[in-house]
């Protein structure tokens, strides 16, 4: 590419894992002005790679796995420079009735902060594009412009913590890495890509896909200044945004508690995930709520690159059976592993967090799966005989940890092969075998777990209810950071293009556009950014339709509509199904899609300049 | 200070919280309310200037309200003491140091380096920077023919002339850390410096902190107030910071996480 755009080197690392060939290309540059970067750019690249190969096995060599920091990667603008996305066809999601059977899956993307993304950028590359699959484990080594695919056999099987420490000892403390853990290596689909012990690209099973390519990790050192459009003003601008974010209204809360304060706050509001999403209020908030976490667990704060908010917390258990357990968190989503399992012991809560970070589980996916398994066990749908004597009872952290171990290491008992694929998948298999109907409380959409927000009992503020649209129509399955209205969803897409942090809301979409323009040397208006976001969202929608997803998949589990809260201030709350269907219809209409089927109209695609998608629409 | 600049200071303090001095909680609260307004007003603002208003407070204000008077933070020989357990590893100090000295975001050139070190899942972040040893072994080691290193008379900061520097590496050696020898020699003839100097292809050597001519960017930038100026006896006594970043990390780790 001849035109220089700020924030980009024009270099993408392409690795063919099958042949071991590494190439530097500019495949992405032709799309940058139309898709900016991050999530939107990734979705476009994924579409271009897979549009004519519907129904490929997401765990097979045809799938493409991408690591994409955005144009801001490596520039210490708070909440902007630290993040990167992983993008691929999802290893997690499932369509109810896909012509491709179990291979019909959605797009998947997941963002994480920390220092891996910016370091990759400062090493002189805009991202990594992985195809094929290797027979033996590999690691990708990147150092200031050099790339090499190295043998990774000795690292395979290491926990994410062991990998991190080994790399630091072997290469030095300036090397950053991302890696997959034993969960991903052993075929757990809700496995993430981890960096710096606790930063996770959690959702969508992108870690499972990375592991399916036998890529254990990426080791990177980078110290080159990322090219930016307005170099002279950079320091002043960075200072300005640092002050902006420090002065924003939620700075104090986030600096002090991270997102953790939500654990108690949202429990009080009765909208957290509790007892496998049947309840919204955590009865054990006095045992594992934010007060206890703060006084008994947290030790220090930690920041992502260039951000003064340091919302990441690290703690250690100081006494009792689990003394010495060190974990990053809990953050708000950790409610999936606490309240959702009715845990009542801080030591167990911390020990579980330590274990799941080491194994590299997506904590939300694990929370949903174990939540389902606990309830199925209570109802006698599965018994301890089925799971090698494990007593899977609510609140029993020690037995739950045994179950986590088995998920990773038990390859003799076939029931774990079902559990490794998520709650609805497991429920359908179990129900078919045992004539039960446990799928009613498999709390996910498209086999992708609900996050730690319950949709029962959330009040309508926007004409939309709480998060139910985010969960039902999310393009990667149930998703809590996807937005709930078409406008909010565009904003979220703009955020994911930067790639901006979900919490640095101080900028707003306009502020984010300004920052991107400043770095890239462009002059996008907010309208243009919205147009770009809509385009990316429609591409994802068509990707999913083509994989066999229909309006039947844009829904929520039985419990949400039929199983009211049994305790707490909102006892009896439900989400009325007819109201849900009406909201969904409004959502489709607002998107310019067919209100009954949710299929984008030809007119809408033409309006967005996406005529080339029309042939891919379902007939 | 004039009445005018007092007024500016007041308005500014009520508007935006610059990098938090966390002991000033009340200050923080006042700042939160009006903060959004500043953020909005500032978005389209192209002429902004950064100015040091008091010793600890740097704020960004529209150019036409900038008071002309600024004050140096370092008026006698001082050194910067990292409070290791407070560092959150945001790398902001590195970015400010690199940008203010070289105009580009080359973190490798930054005079302060922050190493994030993972021990059993408990991360610790170790800032490494020049301690301005009062006996300046680095300066002494620089060959007489070259004399690339000099000392600022007021601040005691080290100034390196990159044009003169030949990259011989003698100062890097003089500034090395020493590892405890468990086989009986103990610290031996320890050098015990910070090990902050690093070889650099283009510049010869980097890591020589010039205290930003009296207004240390990293000190004002650090959101955790983790980098603290000290004027202990006109500079660090030297032979004090004997540990390299990994050993320091272990010590800090023991302090924070070692609780069994
Ligand atoms: S810390 Fe190193 S560079 Fe700084 S004065 Fe001492 S020897 Fe010189
Ligand atoms: S005082 Fe200035 S030169 Fe020294 S480390 Fe801090 S920013 Fe760099
Ligand atoms: S600015 Fe402060 S908290 Fe951030 S890395 Fe530097 S010393 Fe640590």
């Amino acid at each position: 590419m001849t035109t220089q755009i700020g924030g980009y080197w024009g270099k993408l690392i392409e690795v063919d894992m099958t042949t071991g060939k590494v190439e530097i290309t500019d495949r992405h540059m032709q799309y940058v002005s139309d898709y900016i970067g991050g999530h939107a750019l990734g979705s476009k690249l994924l579409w271009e790679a897979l549009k004519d190969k519907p129904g490929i096995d997401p765990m097979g060599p045809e799938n493409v796995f991408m690591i994409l920091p955005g144009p801001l990667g490596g520039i210490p603008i708070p909440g902007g420079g630290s993040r990167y996305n992983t993008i691929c066809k999802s290893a997690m999601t499932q369509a109810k009735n896909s012509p491709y059977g179990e291979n019909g899956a959605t797009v998947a993307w997941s963002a994480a902060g920390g220092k891996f993304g910016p370091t990759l950028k400062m090493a002189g590359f805009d991202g990594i594009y992985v195809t094929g699959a290797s027979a033996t484990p590999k690691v990708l080594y990147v150092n200031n412009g050099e790339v090499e695919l190295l043998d990774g056999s000795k690292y395979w099987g290491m926990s994410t913590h062991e990998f991190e420490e080994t790399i630091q000892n072997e290469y030095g403390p300036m090397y950053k890495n991302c890696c997959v853990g034993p969960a991903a290596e052993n075929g757990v689909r809700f496995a993430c890509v981890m960096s710096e012990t606790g930063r996770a690209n959690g959702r969508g099973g992108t870690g499972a896909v990375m592991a399916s390519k036998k890529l254990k990790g990426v080791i990177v050192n980078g110290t080159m200044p990322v090219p930016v459009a307005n170099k002279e003003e950079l320091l002043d601008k960075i200072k300005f945004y640092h002050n902006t974010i420090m002065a924003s209204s939620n700075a104090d809360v986030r600096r002090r508690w991270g997102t953790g304060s939500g654990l108690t706050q949202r429990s009080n509001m009765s909208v957290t995930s509790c007892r496998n999403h049947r309840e919204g209020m955590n009865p054990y908030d006095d045992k594992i709520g934010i007060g206890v976490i703060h006084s008994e667990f947290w030790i220090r704060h930690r920041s992502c690159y260039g951000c003064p908010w340091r919302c990441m917390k690290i703690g250690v258990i100081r006494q009792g059976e689990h003394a010495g357990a060190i974990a990053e968190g809990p953050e708000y989503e950790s409610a999936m592993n606490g309240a959702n399992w009715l845990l009542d012991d801080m030591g167990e809560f911390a020990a579980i967090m330590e274990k799941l970070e080491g194994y590299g589980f997506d904590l939300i996916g694990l929370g949903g799966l174990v939540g389902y398994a606990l309830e199925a066990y209570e109802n006698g749908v599965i018994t301890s005989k089925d799971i090698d004597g494990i007593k899977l009872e609510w609140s029993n952290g020690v037995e739950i940890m045994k179950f986590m171990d088995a998920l990773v290491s038990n390859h003799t008992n076939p029931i774990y092969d079902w559990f490794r694929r998520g709650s609805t998948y497991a429920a359908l298999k179990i129900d078919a075998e045992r004539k039960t109907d446990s799928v009613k409380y498999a709390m996910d959409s498209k086999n992708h777990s609900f996050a730690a927000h319950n949709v029962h009992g959330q009040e309508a503020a926007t004409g939309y209810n709480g998060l139910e649209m985010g969960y039902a129509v999310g393009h990667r399955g149930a998703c809590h950071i996807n937005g709930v209205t078409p406008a909010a969803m565009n904003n979220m897409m703009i955020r994911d293009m930067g790639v901006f942090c979900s919490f640095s809301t101080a900028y707003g979409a306009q502020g984010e556009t300004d920052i991107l323009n400043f770095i890239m040397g462009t002059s996008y208006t907010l309208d243009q950014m919205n147009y770009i976001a809509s385009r990316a969202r429609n591409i994802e929608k068509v990707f999913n339709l083509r994989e066999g997803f229909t309006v039947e998949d844009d829904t929520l589990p039985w419990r949400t509509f039929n199983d009211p809260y049994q305790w707490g201030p909102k006892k009896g709350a439900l989400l009325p199904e007819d109201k849900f269907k009406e909201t969904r219809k409004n959502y489709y209409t607002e998107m310019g899609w067919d209100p009954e089927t949710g299929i984008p109209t030809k007119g809408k695609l033409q309006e967005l300049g996406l005529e080339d998608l029309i042939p891919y629409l379902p007939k | 200070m004039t009445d005018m600049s007092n007024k500016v200071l007041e308005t500014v303090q009520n508007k935006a919280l610059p990098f938090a001095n966390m002991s000033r909680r009340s200050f923080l609260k006042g700042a939160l309310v009006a903060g959004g307004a500043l953020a909005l007003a500032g978005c389209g603002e192209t002429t902004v200037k950064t100015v040091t208003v008091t010793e600890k407070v740097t704020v960004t204000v529209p150019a036409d309200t900038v008071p002309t008077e600024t004050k140096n933070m370092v008026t006698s020989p001082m050194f910067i003491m990292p409070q290791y357990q407070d560092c959150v590893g945001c790398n902001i100090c590195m970015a400010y140091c690199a940008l203010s000295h070289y105009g580009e975001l080359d973190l490798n050139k930054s005079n302060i380096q922050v190493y994030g070190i993972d021990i059993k899942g408990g991360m610790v972040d170790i800032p490494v920077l020049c301690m301005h040893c009062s006996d300046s072994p680095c300066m002494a080691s620089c060959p007489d023919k070259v004399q690339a290193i000099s000392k600022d008379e007021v601040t005691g900061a080290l100034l390196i002339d990159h044009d003169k520097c030949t990259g011989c590496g003698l100062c890097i050696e003089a500034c090395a850390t020493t590892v405890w020898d468990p086989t009986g020699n103990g610290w031996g003839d320890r050098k015990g410096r910070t090990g902050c100097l690093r070889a650099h292809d283009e510049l010869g050597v980097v890591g020589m902190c010039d205290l930003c001519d009296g207004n240390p960017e990293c000190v004002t930038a650090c959101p955790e107030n983790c980098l603290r100026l000290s004027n202990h006896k006109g500079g660090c006594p030297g032979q004090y910071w004997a540990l390299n970043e990994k050993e320091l990390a272990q010590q800090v780790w023991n302090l924070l996480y070692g609780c069994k």
Side-chain angles (χ1 to χ4, degrees):
Chain A
M1 284 312 271
T2 41
T3 42
Q4 182 68 42
I5 251 189
Y8 279 98
W9 294 97
K11 290 184 191 164
L12 183 71
I13 303 172
E14 286 197 26
V15 190
D16 182 342
M17 294 296 290
T18 311
T19 60
K21 195 158 149 244
V22 180
E23 263 184 304
I24 310 299
T25 71
D26 60 1
R27 174 195 291 266
H28 59 309
M29 289 313 282
Q30 55 183 312
Y31 306 122
V32 162
S33 57
D34 284 353
Y35 295 90
I36 314 288
H39 177 185
L41 181 64
S43 292
K44 173 67 177 172
L45 288 169
L46 189 72
W47 170 256
E48 288 301 327
L50 299 184
K51 63 181 174 189
D52 295 319
K53 298 187 213 162
I56 55 148
D57 178 2
M59 301 288 274
E62 294 101 331
N63 200 355
V64 180
F65 173 78
M66 285 172 260
I67 293 180
L68 290 177
L72 296 179
I75 296 152
I77 288 183
S82 63
R83 299 183 75 76
Y84 70 103
N85 259 306
T86 50
I87 295 139
C88 57
K89 179 172 166 181
S90 177
M92 191 67 223
T93 50
Q94 296 276 308
K96 287 204 165 99
N97 276 309
S98 167
Y100 310 106
E102 288 177 7
N103 285 346
T106 62
V107 290
W109 76 90
S110 192
K115 302 218 179 78
F116 170 78
T119 311
L120 176 63
K121 225 23 210 309
M122 289 188 279
F125 299 103
D126 299 329
I128 305 176
Y129 186 94
V130 187
T131 53
S134 165
T136 54
K138 302 276 180 203
V139 288
L140 190 67
Y141 168 85
V142 184
N143 180 12
N144 281 332
E146 295 165 38
V147 196
E148 219 179 315
L149 192 63
L150 305 175
D151 178 42
S153 311
K154 63 175 172 178
Y155 306 118
W156 199 254
M158 279 186 182
S159 80
T160 62
H161 296 153
E162 285 162 358
F163 184 77
E164 168 104 16
E165 264 191 81
T166 312
I167 295 304
Q168 291 207 336
N169 291 336
E170 282 179 12
Y171 290 86
M174 289 321 270
Y175 277 81
K176 303 286 175 251
N177 66 76
C178 72
C179 68
V180 294
E185 293 168 8
N186 287 287
V188 173
R189 297 294 182 99
F190 41 92
C192 47
V193 181
M194 297 283 276
S195 52
E196 291 191 281
T197 80
R199 313 276 79 195
N201 302 79
R203 309 241 57 203
T206 61
V209 173
M210 181 165 161
S212 76
K213 307 209 166 298
K214 282 274 192 305
L215 184 58
K216 172 72 183 178
V218 181
I219 305 162
V220 44
N221 177 36
T223 54
M224 302 196 286
V226 178
V228 298
N230 301 294
K231 205 163 122 183
E232 304 72 36
E233 296 158 53
L234 188 58
L235 182 56
D236 278 350
K237 266 282 187 253
I238 290 175
K239 286 184 178 177
F240 175 76
Y241 287 116
H242 281 172
N243 284 333
T244 304
I245 197 163
M246 286 296 272
S248 84
S249 57
N250 44 1
D252 195 27
V253 172
R254 292 283 189 249
R255 277 173 60 81
R256 187 158 179 190
W257 310 104
T259 57
S261 55
L263 288 169
T264 292
Q265 180 212 11
R266 291 189 71 79
S267 167
N268 290 345
M269 289 161 72
S270 213
V271 286
T272 197
S273 62
C274 183
R275 203 203 159 279
N276 192 28
H277 282 96
R278 195 192 67 192
E279 305 299 336
M281 193 204 74
N282 178 11
Y284 300 121
D285 193 63
D286 58 334
K287 304 226 170 63
I288 58 164
I290 194 67
V292 181
I293 293 165
H294 187 258
S295 59
E296 289 180 17
F297 186 57
W298 283 343
I299 284 285
R300 64 180 301 241
H301 315 278
R302 204 155 186 270
S303 271
C304 292
Y305 175 74
C307 181
W309 270 14
R310 38 97 154 147
C311 70
M312 166 176 173
K313 314 293 168 204
I314 310 178
V316 59
I317 290 291
R318 283 152 249 177
Q319 56 198 8
E321 198 185 331
H322 300 285
I326 298 173
E328 192 239 300
E331 32 101 34
Y332 176 64
E333 290 303 323
S334 308
M336 287 299 289
N337 319 110
N340 206 41
W341 305 344
L342 290 179
L343 286 195
D344 58 0
D345 182 281
M346 190 60 221
E348 283 176 2
F349 191 20
I352 285 174
M353 276 188 291
E354 184 184 41
K355 196 181 261 292
L356 78 85
E357 282 163 15
Y359 279 150
F361 281 114
D362 165 24
L363 62 85
I364 301 178
L366 181 73
L369 184 267
V370 173
Y372 160 77
L374 288 164
E375 188 154 354
Y377 184 91
E378 182 185 50
N379 295 343
V381 173
I382 52 171
T383 62
S384 66
K385 268 202 226 99
D386 296 322
I387 44 176
D388 308 297
I390 298 173
K391 290 192 196 58
L392 213 46
E393 286 153 355
W394 298 107
S395 314
N396 193 338
V398 175
E399 294 289 313
I400 292 174
M401 280 191 268
K402 287 189 197 157
F403 185 69
M404 285 163 66
D405 291 337
L407 277 176
V408 171
S409 55
N410 190 327
H411 292 282
T412 47
N413 184 345
I415 199 168
Y416 289 110
D417 291 335
W418 295 343
F419 285 133
R420 281 186 200 106
R421 305 216 30 186
S423 38
T424 290
Y425 185 96
L428 289 174
K429 293 283 183 196
I430 290 170
D431 289 351
E433 189 188 271
R434 305 178 182 188
K435 311 273 173 293
T436 48
D437 55 358
S438 63
V439 73
K440 284 170 150 183
Y441 45 84
M443 298 308 285
D444 57 45
S445 168
K446 306 184 180 68
N447 198 38
H448 197 242
S449 286
F450 279 19
H453 304 267
N454 216 334
V455 289
H456 288 51
Q458 293 196 17
E459 296 304 329
T462 51
Y464 288 84
N465 206 20
L467 263 175
E468 83 277 20
M469 274 303 126
Y471 283 176
V473 304
H475 291 166
R476 62 175 184 189
C479 174
H480 63 296
I481 53 167
N482 183 43
V484 288
T485 65
M489 288 179 186
N490 274 354
N491 284 346
M492 298 297 133
M493 184 59 98
I494 295 173
R495 172 202 69 197
D496 285 350
M497 290 177 203
V499 180
F500 285 95
C501 171
S502 299
F503 307 131
S504 56
T505 40
Y507 306 135
Q510 180 63 56
E512 290 172 354
T513 309
D514 292 345
I515 296 174
L516 284 169
N517 281 335
F518 173 77
I519 295 297
M520 297 172 76
T522 48
S523 51
Y524 295 104
T525 61
L526 187 53
D527 284 347
Q528 285 169 327
M529 293 296 271
N530 271 312
Y531 186 74
I532 292 173
S534 302
R535 280 164 61 93
R537 290 184 50 72
N538 275 276
I539 291 179
E540 289 180 348
K541 179 71 184 178
V542 177
F543 184 105
N544 292 352
L545 289 169
R546 195 196 42 125
E547 292 282 333
F549 288 84
T550 67
V551 63
E552 293 301 311
D553 295 288
D554 281 359
T555 188
L556 300 170
W558 173 88
R559 163 159 290 160
T560 316
F561 306 126
N562 301 295
D563 199 8
Y565 283 163
Q566 293 183 18
W567 66 57
K570 290 183 180 162
K571 191 173 166 198
L574 269 184
L575 180 72
E577 189 165 5
D578 46 348
K579 181 167 177 299
F580 165 78
K581 288 203 166 137
E582 199 189 306
T583 320
R584 186 173 64 189
K585 213 183 245 181
N586 294 343
Y587 167 80
Y588 287 159
T589 315
E590 239 181 284
M591 288 298 291
W593 299 345
D594 184 286
E596 298 303 330
T597 61
I599 296 174
T601 58
K602 292 196 177 111
K604 184 69 191 178
L605 293 182
Q606 274 156 355
E607 183 193 317
L608 292 170
L610 294 173
E611 292 84 355
D612 57 321
L613 298 190
I614 294 174
Y616 295 94
L617 289 175
K619 298 288 158 327
Chain B
M1 253 193 234
T2 61
D3 272 344
M4 185 56 205
S5 56
N6 266 333
K7 220 168 162 188
V8 172
L9 177 60
E10 220 177 85
T11 9
V12 165
Q13 283 188 342
N14 284 331
K15 266 191 177 164
L17 173 74
F19 288 118
N21 176 339
M22 285 315 284
S23 56
R24 298 186 189 174
R25 280 260 158 212
S26 51
F27 185 47
L28 181 73
K29 290 226 175 76
L32 288 173
V33 191
L38 176 86
L40 281 181
C43 264
E45 189 63 75
T46 45
T47 44
V48 287
K49 254 192 190 170
T50 306
V51 54
T52 307
V53 200
T54 69
E55 286 190 354
K56 283 275 180 206
V57 179
T58 304
V59 288
T60 307
V61 289
D64 51 332
T65 54
V66 173
T68 42
E69 179 193 343
T70 55
K71 202 168 154 193
N72 277 357
M73 292 163 70
V74 184
T75 46
S76 63
M78 289 190 184
F79 65 102
I80 297 169
M81 247 310 280
Q83 304 295 306
Y84 295 106
Q85 71 277 25
D86 289 349
C87 175
V88 298
C90 63
N91 291 18
I92 287 174
C93 49
M94 291 171 72
Y96 278 42
C97 187
L99 273 168
S100 62
H101 284 79
Y102 301 101
E104 59 181 1
L105 206 60
D106 186 340
L107 298 189
N108 198 21
K109 289 182 184 165
S110 162
N111 296 332
I112 178 168
Q113 293 287 315
V114 181
Y115 300 98
I117 293 174
D118 182 359
I119 302 172
K120 297 190 197 122
M123 295 288 296
V124 276
D125 295 280
I126 304 295
V128 172
L129 82 166
C130 168
M131 286 288 166
H132 296 100
C133 316
S134 43
D135 56 346
S136 317
C138 48
M139 186 162 84
S141 74
C142 192
D144 288 347
K145 289 199 297 285
V146 184
Q147 296 200 6
I149 306 173
S150 58
K151 216 169 194 179
D152 186 295
E153 278 165 20
V154 183
T155 61
L158 289 166
L159 309 170
I160 182 161
D161 188 337
H162 287 301
D163 293 335
K164 285 193 192 160
C165 174
T166 60
C168 68
L170 286 172
C171 59
I172 300 179
E173 216 168 277
C175 179
T177 58
T178 317
V179 180
W180 173 263
D181 176 4
T183 57
N185 206 12
W187 291 113
D189 182 21
R190 69 174 174 148
K191 295 196 178 98
R193 310 292 166 156
T194 65
C196 64
L197 299 182
R198 289 159 291 127
H200 192 276
D201 289 349
E202 187 190 315
L203 300 171
V205 58
V206 286
M208 202 79 74
C209 165
D210 60 9
L211 286 171
C212 298
D213 211 11
N215 282 311
E217 287 277 356
C218 58
V219 174
T220 19
C222 176
E224 301 305 313
N225 200 13
C226 149
L227 303 171
R228 302 199 186 153
L229 275 170
S230 163
N231 62 356
H232 175 81
K233 289 185 187 154
C236 174
Q239 300 213 331
Y240 182 38
W241 249 252
L243 302 178
N244 67 23
E245 68 275 0
K246 268 183 87 175
E247 295 161 320
L248 266 173
Q250 187 63 54
Q251 304 265 335
V252 178
W253 191 93
N254 292 348
L255 178 76
L256 291 173
Y257 303 97
C259 57
K260 254 195 178 166

